Amino acid sequence: VVVDSIGNPNGIVSGSTKITSDPVRLKIADETAALIDELGFIKNGLSFQTGASSTSLAVAERVKQRMQDKKVVGSFALGGIHSYLVRMLEDGQFKKLLDTQSFDLESVASAKRNKLHMALSASQYANPSSKSCAVNNLDVVILGATEIDEDFNVNVITGSNGIIMGAAGGHSDCAAGAKLSIVVSNLMKKDYCVVKKHVCTIATPGQSIDAVVTEFGIAINPLRKDLLACLQNSKLNIVPISYLRNLGEKMGAKEIVPETSDRIVGVVEYRDGTIIDNIYQIVDK
């Protein structure tokens, strides 16, 4: 078939790869960068990954500023690469970028011209059976969530209504591999609270999530007693995750429990091949 061009590279650009201007999300970014710093990760050799959501991009910008202030040079930034990480490489905050997916045209151009911006296969990136598995060498990863529960389980596959939204990507891989995995999110999204008693679908098990940062406080996983000890005298607003859920209820959050049939329409496979959850068909009303 003869066509004028193969694909449209302008389609690579997404509205999601722009930094937020929302003061609430910027506050979350500030608190996240401060948390990373207080826990001692802003130091030479830092390895770092962040997604391309507007809040995650703001976290990258705040981390960059702290690295500049301390004259810190990180070892590598990893994952889906966006323009903010490209600038951190070019400004000397990182020695190299390990790229398994380019999020925007600036990162595509960087991968073409810069020998320190290196492509990575999905297996090199996150295969737990691979000796070169990059996520296992991560210091800090910034993650998103549609829901989090009081056991720190995270859902990024379905909405609170139980309907499949998309794939989890490397969410569980990065959370398991990184020394510090942080979920960032507004506490309230429309009329529901992201912190629930139980998530609708487990995409990443709670033992892999170390902290949840919202505009109303930071919850540290009780399993990470080392982090809690480090933050004992912190001026950051450290709260139990149950506090965030209760606060959401006081703010009028609606707890959505979807009605499902017994028919399984999807399974959630963990990085080691085990099935950690099932997704059931929603009953139409």
Side-chain angles (χ1 to χ4, degrees):
V1 177
V2 178
V3 294
D4 294 333
S5 64
I6 300 174
N8 178 7
N10 291 324
I12 296 172
V13 178
S14 169
S16 67
T17 56
K18 291 182 173 63
I19 196 166
T20 184
S21 58
D22 178 0
V24 172
R25 292 173 184 260
L26 290 175
K27 179 183 178 182
I28 293 170
D30 287 332
E31 296 286 285
T32 303
L35 176 66
I36 295 168
D37 201 354
E38 280 203 28
L39 291 173
F41 284 96
I42 306 290
K43 61 183 180 181
N44 287 327
L46 168 69
S47 54
F48 181 69
Q49 177 171 342
T50 179
S53 73
S54 59
T55 306
S56 295
L57 296 178
V59 174
E61 185 179 64
R62 271 40 177 189
V63 167
K64 176 181 179 178
Q65 186 60 58
R66 288 175 179 266
M67 292 176 76
Q68 287 176 326
D69 292 345
K70 292 190 170 187
K71 296 181 171 54
V72 160
V73 178
S75 54
F76 65 87
L78 174 67
I81 301 299
H82 45 73
S83 59
Y84 293 91
L85 292 179
V86 168
R87 290 167 206 164
M88 291 176 83
L89 173 68
E90 293 175 347
D91 291 345
Q93 274 75 60
F94 289 106
K95 293 181 179 179
K96 55 183 173 286
L97 300 182
L98 303 180
D99 187 342
T100 191
Q101 177 185 1
S102 292
F103 280 135
D104 51 36
L105 292 176
E106 192 170 336
S107 59
V108 172
S110 171
K112 181 179 179 180
R113 70 172 183 269
N114 195 333
K115 65 180 181 180
L116 298 177
H117 185 154
M118 294 170 274
L120 209 64
S121 72
S123 182
Q124 289 173 307
Y125 172 58
N127 184 349
S129 301
S130 171
K131 290 182 179 179
S132 64
C133 181
V135 297
N136 289 347
N137 293 310
L138 267 176
D139 288 325
V140 179
V141 64
I142 308 301
L143 301 166
T146 57
E147 303 175 312
I148 311 124
D149 67 25
E150 291 188 346
D151 294 317
F152 285 80
N153 297 310
V154 174
N155 179 12
V156 291
I157 295 175
T158 68
S160 292
N161 57 7
I163 296 174
I164 296 172
M165 296 169 54
H171 198 285
S172 62
D173 300 292
C174 295
K179 294 183 180 70
L180 179 65
S181 59
I182 304 174
V183 170
V184 296
S185 176
N186 290 46
L187 182 64
M188 298 292 293
K189 294 185 178 179
K190 295 182 179 178
D191 58 354
Y192 77 92
C193 179
V194 297
V195 181
K196 302 176 65 177
K197 186 69 176 175
H198 300 289
V199 292
C200 184
T201 305
I202 298 174
T204 297
Q207 63 263 31
S208 297
I209 301 298
D210 301 315
V212 175
V213 181
T214 74
E215 71 273 33
F216 292 104
I218 300 171
I220 304 295
N221 193 325
L223 296 175
R224 293 300 306 268
K225 298 184 187 303
D226 56 330
L227 302 185
L228 288 167
C230 185
L231 296 167
Q232 192 170 8
N233 299 315
S234 174
K235 292 182 180 179
L236 293 171
N237 185 23
I238 309 299
V239 299
I241 197 164
S242 57
Y243 167 84
L244 295 175
R245 177 171 175 260
N246 292 336
L247 181 60
E249 288 184 352
K250 290 178 182 177
M251 295 171 70
K254 298 177 181 178
E255 185 89 10
I256 302 171
V257 180
E259 186 179 347
T260 60
S261 70
D262 294 331
R263 180 175 177 240
I264 295 174
V265 296
V267 294
V268 182
E269 184 177 314
Y270 193 55
R271 65 197 305 251
D272 62 1
T274 57
I275 303 303
I276 60 173
D277 207 350
N278 293 317
I279 302 172
Y280 293 89
Q281 184 178 33
I282 301 299
V283 174
D284 292 327
K285 294 182 180 179

